[in-house]
Amino acid sequence: MSIDLWSSVTELTGVGKTATENLGNMGIESIEDLIYTFPFRHEDFRIKNLAETPHNERLTVEARIESTPNVMFMGKGRSRLQVQVLVGTHLIRVVFFNQAYLKNKLIRGETVTITGKWDQGRQTITASSVHFGDKDNQADFEPVYSLKGKMTQKKYRQFVRQALDLCGQQLTEKIPEKFRTAYRLLGIREAMEGVHFPKNAEHAKQARRRFVYEEFLLFQLKMQALRKVRKESEGGQAIHYDVAQLRAFFNRLPYELTGAQKRVVNEICVDLLTSERMNRLLQGDVGSGKTVVAASALYATVTAGFQGALMAPTEILAEQHLENLRTWLEPFDVRVELLSGSTRAKARRELLEDLANGKIDILIGTHALIQPNVLFKRLGLVITDEQHRFGVNQRRILKEKGDNPDQLFMTATPIPRTLSITAFGEMDVSIIDEMPAGRKEIQTNWMKAEQFNLVLDRMAAQLADGRQAYLICPLIEESDKLDVQNAVDLHAQLQVLFEGRFTVGLMHGRLSADEKEAVMRAFSEGQVDVLVSTTVVEVGVNVPNATFMVIYDAERFGLAQLHQLRGRVGRGKHQSYCVLVADPKSEEGKERLISMTETNDGFRLAEKDLALRGPGDFFGQKQSGIPQFKMADLVHDYRALETARRDAVQLIQSTEFWEESSFEPLRQMLNESGILDGERID
Ligand code: ADP
Ligand code: MG
């Protein structure tokens, strides 16, 4: 009988019914699963100096037992053993949980090696293991796995040992030789030994380094392969725009484009010219000037004899785009129209007819654009504003409306580069990382809830000057569970406070779409002075007269969201202010608020957010397309990610990759994942 990587773990000696069940609960069925279940950390058994070990860190010390162990039983088989020990000159306490049997082994006067977590305040080590006898018999490093049921670390290690001895030879080397040499990475077998049975700290580190790179490389290869397959299979249209006309457009703009805008326009124009289909994500912080970039791309498309479409998530945004584009493009005889849910039947019919006849150059709209009866004559470019607001389906339908039109997705959510090349790895990414000159920085303060009256005074002063204000709070109505101020309450309070002076509007997620539009419109037209709202307040809406933003219970929001909300102000010629009202309890909460007061740079805040909360939380609850890596960490290993991406791009573009036999394991991986058939991977 031969055992291979795909054999069941039950083939291993000692894996009985219970072990099979415990392993099954960890998602381990085959030998390969077992080998590829990595430890979540390594225990360092090298002796450390107690005095130099910070609070809450793990350490190993040699300790002389100074008292008889004292055991307390706590029911359900749980126990707590406590003993006094001498470490160097420190007399401290050691606590073991659920290891009452040690009572007779920890003998006064003897010296043992203890590993655990150091609580400096209590002068106590909570021990996870104890080693009796000669220190030299103990390994310096041992992996620690996250195990289920009655499985012990020792048993698990024995299984892995067996598995590696039986099947280690069969592990295939996936990292191409040239990269392994260039980065001095361990080969697959030595690396696998280093993960599970490291000889020392360096071995463990090098093993990790190899697998981090491997994971990133494989993932990026899939992304790049998908990108290539899509480009080749979909085909696109070459849009030969008129450079002179485009230049005339830029000359007529009321301002010069920023360096970043110019760079991004160039990136888009290069894509337009090629016959491959553009699939590009444009990231730019709120207020960075994405609209004019969109207009440039649309105009370029029109000069080549194509039509363009611009889809916005709300009617108000669509109307704002219409106004801007008409102002900029009508002098050039470009016909821009709007199609929305509220376009009347007759107007709508005429509009659709003109669209189909090619009399309309640019169509702007909400999701009304993706109705089946909306037909273009020659659609060349589709732009989706605030792309995260649209479902994948909505976007797909729009792009299917033409002969594979180029696509540009715009987002105001700054996404750290590590995440964007992971979540959007199959797209090209352009970034506007510069604000138009002369913009006044929003002044941000953090105030305590008890200072709320002061905040309202400051708000009233702005309103008295003719400005407008937002007040954002986390919930709609009072909740028993959460002690947070709610929009309905605050709205009522402000109405009383400002009665006869200022109008206060209310906006939240339980209003119907029409009601929301109506409130937002009243605010943007200046009939409402203060808008009390939950976070549904429209992204991207431009009310330049609004200069004061209050975010209530600000500690409840992530940094990215706080920054998005703050971006509703600071859009006009007046100085704008943002006040965060918060009493954060955690250090992390405080750090977030301080970051907000320190910078207006969305990308810097996004990096900070990622570091504070980790990649899982960055995009919120929704599935984000970010894979779970076994070894790699998107925050700490970003350099490896960049390298792997570069290597993947180069590999996929090379002919050797598709032809030479040494790349067979990688091609096979792509084949198996369905990517070569153009499927999205998750
Ligand atoms: P967003 O990227 O958030 O969509 P907008 O396109 O709405 O930003 O632009 C924000 C404001 O900045 C608008 O009033 C726009 O006219 C202005 N703006 C854009 N580009 C420039 C520039 N290069 N110089 C000066 N003002 C600009
Ligand atoms: Mg915008």
Side-chain angles (χ1 to χ4, degrees), residues 255-258 261 285-292 436 439 542 571:
Y255 40 72
E256 192 179 337
L257 293 188
T258 63
Q261 283 171 319
D285 210 343
V286 274
S288 62
K290 292 184 291 296
T291 318
V292 70
R439 191 70 52 86
N542 199 20
R571 305 185 139 240

Side-chain angles (χ1 to χ4, degrees), residues 290-291 321 385-386 540:
K290 292 184 291 296
T291 318
H321 285 326
D385 193 15
E386 309 296 350

